[in-house]
Amino acid sequence: MSLDDKLILIVGATGFLGRPVVDMLDHFGFPVRLLTRDPAKAEKIFGKHFDIVKGDIADYESLKEAAKDCFGVHINLKGGPRAKDFDRIENRGTVAIVEAAKERGVSRVTYLSGASVAEDRQWFAPTKAKYNAEQVILNSGLDYAIFRATWFMESLPFFVRDSQATVMGKQPNGIHWLAAEDYARIVAKAYLLDQSPNKILITWGPDEYTFKEALEEFCEIAFPDVKVNNVPLGVLKFFATVTFSKQLKEVLPLMKYFEKFGERGDPTLTDELLGEPQITLEKWSKCFKAKSKAD
Ligand SMILES: NC(=O)c1ccc[n+]([C@@H]2O[C@H](COP(=O)([O-])OP(=O)(O)OC[C@H]3O[C@@H](n4cnc5c(N)ncnc54)[C@H](OP(=O)(O)O)[C@@H]3O)[C@@H](O)[C@H]2O)c1
């Protein structure tokens, strides 16, 4: 089968972590179809180069239509903020996508999960939704690759505001920060293989840094005047309440979770099958700086 015949549908293509996968699959030569609830938004992001279809995980017929003639479906969904929304979007969304994919004879499904997803961590709603979504794929009978990806380097700028970089809580755990470009290359390679990986793939970047170390490295290059400080989660919770900051309120449970539970697993298999990530935090930070200057 030539690449031209391997049409890949991306659900969540407009997402922060969907976009690099779209670009990388296109770069490798795969035809790509994007599913979005808002085609105008997708066209603004991607232009007219891609086949953009309107659809929603809550509309089964739209999923079935989108999956027509596809070789693969890549799932990039983000649930929340309430527990029931994690389940509705990531778990039940995946159920619907997998069902539509099966009906359409799709061969391969890939899914972005999370670094700390595990059976014994289902007490945390985001982890539970991802764990359940993984199970849906594992039990689907379809070929698959599930990426338990760690924290992305692209998250770091969100922690820099008004000449201060904030480490939310103590965050003592080491993280193998991953560049979205490396992740996207790994996803594309999973589609290049004739034999699907059919594995849960721990996906880490090349080097380990705590949150504070990563922010210090990033800021030293991209924002040399910015100071990096730890702020206790209790203080941030109070701040979120008095400022009505919805975004901060939503991120705090995740930071509380990661303060205790870090990455889990071993990326050796992923590296062997799909290539080791090459982009270091230093390199990524320099690219970020150059891009910010150009914009
Ligand atoms: N940030 C990290 O460091 C990190 C690390 C590991 C894993 N992850 C995981 O990566 C996943 C993706 O994150 P992200 O930042 O790319 O999320 P995002 O930017 O919020 O994108 C989510 C995507 O989901 C789509 N979507 C939402 N509801 C939908 C619906 N009802 N029907 C169809 N599509 C729907 C949206 O598409 P439209 O709006 O176009 O319809 C959007 O493209 C998350 O689950 C996150 O937990 C993140």
Side-chain angles (χ1 to χ4, degrees):
M1 194 185 230
S2 84
L3 281 196
D4 287 344
D5 299 321
K6 286 186 166 179
L7 174 62
I8 316 285
L9 172 69
I10 319 259
V11 181
T14 63
F16 184 53
L17 296 167
R19 297 178 202 189
V21 174
V22 171
D23 290 337
M24 191 62 74
L25 286 168
D26 180 53
H27 171 77
F28 272 84
F30 289 95
V32 181
R33 180 179 290 156
L34 321 184
L35 181 128
T36 175
R37 292 164 297 174
D38 183 350
K41 175 178 85 174
E43 204 174 301
K44 226 172 169 182
I45 297 169
F46 297 104
K48 290 187 185 297
H49 179 64
F50 296 104
D51 176 13
I52 296 171
V53 298
K54 188 174 165 67
D56 193 308
I57 49 165
D59 174 0
Y60 183 73
E61 286 307 312
S62 72
L63 296 176
K64 211 175 122 187
E65 193 52 36
K68 192 171 175 226
D69 301 325
C70 286
F71 170 79
V73 177
H74 177 68
I75 304 171
N76 182 79
L77 286 172
K78 186 174 186 174
R82 297 166 302 178
K84 65 178 186 180
D85 300 318
F86 283 105
D87 182 66
R88 176 176 58 81
I89 297 172
E90 294 197 44
N91 175 29
R92 284 190 280 137
T94 302
V95 170
I97 294 163
V98 164
E99 203 44 51
K102 281 168 75 174
E103 260 203 75
R104 284 297 191 188
V106 166
S107 297
R108 204 170 292 188
V109 173
T110 51
Y111 169 59
L112 174 55
S113 183
S116 77
V117 173
E119 189 172 11
D120 60 345
R121 290 185 180 165
Q122 290 190 68
W123 47 267
F124 187 51
T127 308
K128 181 176 184 175
K130 284 183 170 59
Y131 180 77
N132 286 340
E134 287 183 353
Q135 295 302 307
V136 171
I137 294 167
L138 292 173
N139 295 322
S140 68
L142 295 171
D143 279 341
Y144 67 92
I146 291 168
F147 303 99
R148 283 191 180 167
T150 191
W151 278 86
F152 283 84
M153 294 175 190
E154 280 74 5
S155 308
L156 289 168
F158 290 109
F159 295 89
V160 182
R161 288 275 180 282
D162 306 327
S163 72
Q164 173 156 319
T166 304
V167 181
M168 298 185 176
K170 294 192 183 81
Q171 304 302 336
N173 298 307
I175 296 166
H176 290 81
W177 297 84
L178 176 66
E181 186 187 322
D182 269 333
Y183 156 71
R185 194 175 298 108
I186 284 169
V187 176
K189 284 189 175 170
Y191 281 107
L192 280 175
L193 293 177
D194 287 336
Q195 205 82 42
S196 175
N198 293 342
K199 297 277 184 218
I200 290 179
L201 296 160
I202 307 297
T203 314
W204 290 357
D207 303 309
E208 184 178 348
Y209 297 81
T210 63
F211 233 98
K212 187 159 194 212
E213 289 165 348
L215 275 173
E216 281 170 349
E217 172 84 358
F218 169 57
C219 289
E220 195 181 314
I221 294 166
F223 300 105
D225 298 332
V226 163
K227 294 245 171 323
V228 182
N229 291 310
N230 287 80
V231 180
L233 291 172
V235 172
L236 291 166
K237 194 173 172 191
F238 177 74
F239 186 72
T241 308
V242 295
T243 59
F244 301 102
S245 171
K246 207 171 147 229
Q247 200 190 17
L248 183 56
K249 212 172 157 196
E250 281 173 18
V251 83
L252 286 177
L254 188 70
M255 301 316 297
K256 193 174 171 191
Y257 173 86
F258 272 101
E259 193 172 52
K260 287 208 173 101
F261 308 99
E263 306 164 330
R264 203 189 242 183
D266 180 350
T268 309
L269 177 67
T270 317
D271 294 351
E272 282 171 6
L273 267 180
L274 303 169
E276 282 183 41
Q278 297 296 323
I279 302 172
T280 61
L281 185 52
E282 184 188 0
K283 184 175 174 194
W284 181 86
S285 302
K286 284 180 178 164
C287 288
F288 176 91
K289 188 182 174 185
K291 215 168 154 250
S292 306
K293 265 193 180 164
D295 287 346

